[in-house]
Amino acid sequence: MKNNKIQKNLSEWTVITHHKNLLNKVLKPNEIKGQTYLQWLKTGAVSNTPNSIIETSEKLSFLLEASVDKWDLSFLNPNRKKFLAGLGRRNSNQGIQRLKPYKRYPILIAFMAQSLEDVVDELVDLFDKYLLNSYMHSKRKLEKFHLATIKTTQEKLRILQKIGIILLDKNISDDKLREEIYKNIPPEILREILQECSGLIRPKQDLHYDYFANYYLCIRRFIPKFLNVLKFHSNVKDNGLLKAVNILREFNNNKDFDENFDELNLDFIPKGWKPYLYDKNKKINKKYFELCTLWELRGALRSGNIWVQHSRRYADPETYLIPKEQWITLKEQACKLLKMNTGEERLAQANQELKDALKKLDNELINSDRLRIENDKLIVSPLKAEIIEPSCINLQKAITERLPKIELSELLIEVDHWTGFSDCLEHAAEVQPRSSKLIKYLHASILAQSCNLGLKKMAEASDLSYSQLAWHTNWYLSEDTLQACINKLVNYQYHLPISKHWGVGSFSSSDGQRFPVPIKTKNAVALPRYFGYGKGLTFYTWTSDQFSQYGSKVIPSTVRDATYVLDAILDNETELQIMEHTTDTAGYTELIFALFDLLGMQFSPRIRDIGDQRIYQIDKNTEYKNIGPLLKGTIRQDIILNSWDDLLRLAASIKMGWVTASLFIGLTET
């Protein structure tokens, strides 16, 4: 009995020692990588290339080989886990080594567990973006091909016309046809034309998949590792796409593997791919099968039809929502929070609101000089520009001339003196005392970042220590602490008497600004209209009717603004009570309208070409004399009522923070 107990303790000690050895290994330099594993895991990809995908796959392999995916950290509070992982990211290798073991090991454990989730998401993101870039380049190459062949095609058509005229000429006998054709078009010219035509002939469905196939070798560089390190799942039984992905994995791991495609469900393959997928003998071309499968996998990951284990962005969609077993007890609380009751009551209320609005529109069409119907389409005349009186312009100039010119640094210090926003800049470890020089370095760090000077130039301009600036920036400036500062500034402005003249703080708007990015970053995208030959990002900001900016977010420029509209509104921790929000057309979709309503807020976007929008009724009503041609259909109430409980669970999940709005919207709008 005693020996068994000793053996059990010895076994437990072996496991603990094994983990300690692993965690110690993370702090040691890797000769191949030229850096420690800690720094290697910290450093994210800066571009969407095969090498970046391979490198990220190796990171995931390292974490899986260390069995990080099997660690049970459920006993650890998620916020505590995030806090410890943040310490691991901010601390240097030497700094972590100097910590006591009881501090060092928890930090490394949380860091590696968080890194597993981050690396999985980054790997799928890189795969997504590289495949998309290759796909879009293929489309552009096909467009260039069509433009380049216009002149050549015209020449071939003229020759075809000549041949046709000769063939249809009844004065030329059949035995003289060849001779007459060769007289107008020499045989060598005709052979050359036929050879050129063979290069111009495209498949019946003239798509760009053959150009996409030119990227096949580049894609093959990373696909074997990519498929081996990720575990894909689906909530749909007998998912043909998932089986196809497993077949690709078998192809990569077993060269002798031979799959009978006749037994595989190929319903996931779109119609456009099929002319490329099958050869003359109606056998599947493995290259096009692989490309098609990977492209469809990309779409399935974005839509949630296939999900990845240990991911946040590409996880099982069901995990984004309040668990069904908890929803039973939370439903009553959620309904009070959302101010929602039954679906029938909400539909009846919405129906009355819609009727009142349509009746108002119907009446205004009679006497309005800005609204009219032409060809069953609503025409809205543009608003006339507001005329500013000369006295107002003179007043503006007078005020501007009287405003003192001050240094930006002086303004920052003075506003901090009014509001005390720098108190929100807390040390990431929550243990560092505030020194007398702290505030000076914090102000300098903020200016260096906000003005894009960089810490080196700021150190030279201010005669401050570069190492101290870097240290303060690393440990004090974070998304959380800066947002806390913004919240304090917004609240201060909210209570200023002058702010009440602008608005009450319940209405806001959001819009994006696009900026070119001169450095390599995986989130930057090419958008020639805005960035020319370079790449860039969009800074999306939320502004209240009191002209205070209460939220901002960096988003990809190719993603519709509407995906992110709700994020800062729901994450708002200021005293602003946002009840109504407006955007431009890019910030609008029907889904956003629905979510705003479920969340108890008003969405009032400024939609371009509003006459092109379809107007639906909840029930058919023929009492409208003028707007009848605009009413295109009737809303299916049964679908809404049958899904009402799920709609409430979704809205409550977003409202209570189980999932960010952009994460769910990005999933549903793919």
Side-chain angles (χ1 to χ4, degrees):
M1 187 71 177
K2 186 176 181 181
N3 289 337
N4 289 339
K5 188 175 181 180
I6 293 173
Q7 185 64 34
K8 182 180 178 182
N9 291 338
L10 182 61
S11 176
E12 290 177 354
W13 174 250
T14 303
V15 173
I16 294 170
T17 304
H18 166 73
H19 285 305
K20 283 185 176 180
N21 291 337
L22 169 66
L23 297 173
N24 289 333
K25 180 184 177 182
V26 173
L27 300 173
K28 294 179 180 178
N30 180 282
E31 295 180 0
I32 299 175
K33 302 297 178 186
Q35 57 186 337
T36 63
Y37 285 101
L38 179 71
Q39 188 60 39
W40 181 52
L41 292 171
K42 281 183 187 180
T43 308
V46 295
S47 59
N48 305 307
T49 62
N51 287 340
S52 297
I53 298 175
I54 292 170
E55 181 83 4
T56 309
S57 298
E58 290 175 356
K59 291 179 184 178
L60 184 53
S61 293
F62 171 77
L63 293 169
L64 294 176
E65 288 171 6
S67 299
V68 177
D69 56 319
K70 296 181 175 62
W71 292 357
D72 182 11
L73 301 183
S74 58
F75 61 90
L76 196 61
N77 182 289
N79 289 332
R80 187 64 181 171
K81 177 184 171 183
K82 181 181 177 181
F83 169 74
L84 292 172
L87 292 181
R89 288 201 172 277
R90 283 186 171 83
N91 254 310
S92 65
N93 198 74
Q94 294 82 358
I96 294 179
Q97 285 180 325
R98 288 195 293 266
L99 294 173
K100 299 288 185 182
Y102 70 89
K103 289 185 177 180
R104 183 194 317 142
Y105 293 128
I107 288 174
L108 289 175
I109 288 171
F111 168 76
M112 292 185 71
Q114 185 64 46
S115 294
L116 176 65
E117 186 176 294
D118 294 341
V119 168
V120 169
D121 283 350
E122 183 178 48
L123 180 57
V124 180
D125 280 338
L126 290 172
F127 163 78
D128 178 297
K129 291 183 174 66
Y130 183 80
L131 225 61
L132 178 62
N133 289 340
S134 303
Y135 190 85
M136 297 308 295
H137 287 161
S138 304
K139 289 184 74 172
R140 287 193 286 270
K141 285 181 179 179
L142 178 59
E143 291 169 2
K144 288 181 180 178
F145 171 82
H146 285 312
L147 291 173
T149 57
I150 289 175
K151 185 178 179 181
T152 307
T153 304
Q154 292 295 327
E155 294 173 357
K156 307 297 180 294
L157 288 173
R158 279 192 289 270
I159 292 169
L160 176 62
Q161 186 182 41
K162 280 184 181 180
I163 295 173
I165 292 171
I166 294 170
L167 290 171
L168 295 173
D169 191 344
K170 295 180 179 179
N171 297 322
I172 303 173
S173 60
D174 291 350
D175 59 333
K176 296 290 184 180
L177 274 176
R178 186 187 295 269
E179 181 182 340
E180 190 65 28
I181 290 173
Y182 284 166
K183 189 186 296 183
N184 287 271
I185 308 165
E188 58 273 12
I189 298 296
L190 193 56
R191 290 192 189 95
E192 185 179 335
I193 290 170
L194 289 173
Q195 188 174 357
E196 288 179 6
C197 285
S198 64
L200 297 175
I201 296 173
R202 301 284 303 163
K204 287 183 179 180
Q205 288 183 314
D206 189 8
L207 299 175
H208 55 281
Y209 298 138
D210 51 338
Y211 286 93
F212 189 34
N214 293 334
Y215 293 91
Y216 179 70
L217 292 179
C218 293
I219 293 171
R220 283 294 305 165
R221 286 183 56 198
F222 62 81
I223 281 302
K225 283 190 176 181
F226 174 82
L227 295 180
N228 276 335
V229 296
L230 291 175
K231 297 177 181 178
F232 301 103
H233 303 271
S234 174
N235 293 330
V236 178
K237 291 183 179 179
D238 299 323
N239 188 309
L241 176 57
L242 188 58
K243 289 182 179 179
V245 171
N246 292 331
I247 287 173
L248 293 185
R249 188 183 289 112
E250 287 295 329
F251 280 150
N252 296 327
N253 297 334
N254 183 3
K255 293 182 179 179
D256 298 327
F257 177 78
D258 187 21
E259 172 62 25
N260 183 5
F261 290 102
D262 295 333
E263 298 178 1
L264 181 64
N265 180 5
L266 298 179
D267 290 344
F268 70 90
I269 296 177
K271 194 175 181 180
W273 275 95
K274 291 183 179 178
Y276 299 86
L277 199 63
Y278 296 96
D279 59 21
K280 295 178 180 178
N281 300 321
K282 294 187 177 180
K283 289 188 177 181
I284 286 183
N285 183 309
K286 289 185 178 180
K287 176 168 73 172
Y288 281 102
F289 173 76
E290 183 165 4
L291 288 172
C292 176
T293 300
L294 294 174
W295 179 250
E296 292 303 307
L297 173 63
R298 173 188 176 271
L301 287 168
R302 291 169 65 84
S303 66
N305 291 332
I306 288 182
W307 51 275
V308 184
Q309 198 171 349
H310 310 302
S311 170
R312 170 61 178 165
R313 169 68 179 85
Y314 303 96
D316 182 357
E318 185 63 33
T319 62
Y320 295 155
L321 305 178
I322 298 171
K324 291 182 178 179
E325 57 274 12
Q326 292 188 37
W327 174 240
I328 298 172
T329 56
L330 286 175
K331 183 176 179 178
E332 184 178 351
Q333 177 188 346
C335 288
K336 290 180 181 178
L337 183 65
L338 298 171
K339 298 178 181 179
M340 284 283 183
N341 294 315
T342 65
E344 289 83 359
E345 290 176 345
R346 179 61 193 126
L347 277 175
Q349 182 185 358
N351 190 18
Q352 188 58 50
E353 292 171 358
L354 182 58
K355 283 181 178 180
D356 293 342
L358 291 177
K359 190 173 183 179
K360 183 179 179 182
L361 176 61
D362 191 61
N363 294 331
E364 286 187 358
L365 272 173
I366 301 173
N367 301 316
S368 176
D369 57 349
R370 295 189 56 246
L371 300 175
R372 66 186 186 278
I373 294 178
E374 291 182 4
N375 300 322
D376 294 342
K377 182 177 178 180
L378 180 66
I379 305 297
V380 182
S381 301
L383 291 170
K384 293 181 180 179
E386 183 181 352
I387 299 175
I388 302 177
E389 297 293 333
S391 58
C392 292
I393 296 175
N394 293 332
L395 179 61
Q396 288 175 351
K397 289 181 179 178
I399 293 173
T400 302
E401 289 171 357
R402 284 165 173 75
L403 289 174
K405 293 183 179 180
I406 61 173
E407 295 289 337
L408 187 58
S409 56
E410 293 177 5
L411 178 62
L412 182 70
I413 294 169
E414 185 171 351
V415 172
D416 190 16
H417 179 71
W418 298 343
T419 63
F421 70 79
S422 60
D423 294 338
C424 299
L425 297 172
E426 298 180 351
H427 191 278
E430 300 177 354
V431 294
Q432 188 70 20
R434 300 177 76 85
S435 65
S436 57
K437 293 183 179 180
L438 173 67
I439 203 72
K440 182 191 296 184
Y441 278 101
L442 290 180
H443 287 158
S445 298
I446 290 172
L447 283 173
Q449 298 295 328
S450 60
C451 298
N452 202 25
L453 292 174
L455 298 179
K456 186 176 180 181
K457 287 185 179 179
M458 176 55 73
E460 294 171 355
S462 61
D463 198 27
L464 295 174
S465 165
Y466 169 80
S467 60
Q468 283 293 310
L469 278 173
W471 185 85
H472 282 81
T473 300
N474 181 50
W475 284 101
Y476 284 92
L477 301 191
S478 67
E479 186 176 352
D480 292 337
T481 58
L482 289 173
Q483 186 59 54
C485 292
I486 291 171
N487 294 344
K488 201 161 190 176
L489 290 169
V490 171
N491 290 338
Y492 182 84
Q493 181 174 327
Y494 176 75
H495 290 286
L496 290 175
I498 194 173
S499 299
K500 307 302 179 186
H501 293 281
W502 299 327
V504 297
S506 62
F507 182 79
S508 69
S509 64
S510 57
D511 197 8
Q513 291 179 289
R514 294 173 178 85
F515 294 94
V517 178
I519 60 172
K520 282 188 175 182
T521 172
K522 64 178 181 178
N523 292 324
V525 295
L527 210 60
R529 179 182 175 186
Y530 298 101
F531 310 129
Y533 292 104
K535 293 183 177 182
L537 291 165
T538 294
F539 283 78
Y540 200 69
T541 55
W542 289 259
T543 307
S544 75
D545 55 2
Q546 295 182 337
F547 302 105
S548 56
Q549 185 178 301
Y550 64 91
S552 63
K553 197 167 194 172
V554 179
I555 65 174
S557 296
T558 50
V559 177
R560 191 175 176 88
D561 294 354
T563 304
Y564 301 92
V565 164
L566 276 163
D567 280 1
I569 299 172
L570 295 174
D571 290 339
N572 173 34
E573 295 182 355
T574 69
E575 295 180 43
L576 298 171
Q577 297 294 323
I578 304 301
M579 298 304 297
E580 185 176 0
H581 188 76
T582 184
T583 68
D584 59 11
T585 304
Y588 137 82
T589 63
E590 285 81 359
L591 177 61
I592 301 301
F593 267 113
L595 286 174
F596 264 88
D597 189 78
L598 285 168
L599 293 166
M601 295 182 289
Q602 177 71 39
F603 186 45
S604 308
R606 305 296 184 258
I607 303 174
R608 183 179 63 248
D609 300 327
I610 195 168
D612 295 333
Q613 303 298 317
R614 301 188 68 179
I615 302 178
Y616 291 85
Q617 300 180 81
I618 292 182
D619 55 23
K620 290 185 178 181
N621 195 328
T622 58
E623 67 184 33
Y624 309 115
K625 298 178 181 179
N626 304 302
I627 63 172
L630 303 178
L631 305 177
K632 304 296 185 181
T634 306
I635 293 172
R636 289 280 304 275
Q637 298 185 55
D638 57 319
I639 296 176
I640 298 173
L641 294 174
N642 292 337
S643 306
W644 187 250
D645 193 67
D646 291 331
L647 291 172
L648 283 180
R649 185 160 75 104
L650 164 62
S653 299
I654 294 175
K655 186 78 172 179
M656 294 178 172
W658 287 77
V659 61
T660 60
S662 58
L663 181 60
F664 185 83
I665 293 169
L667 188 71
T668 55
E669 293 202 331
T670 299

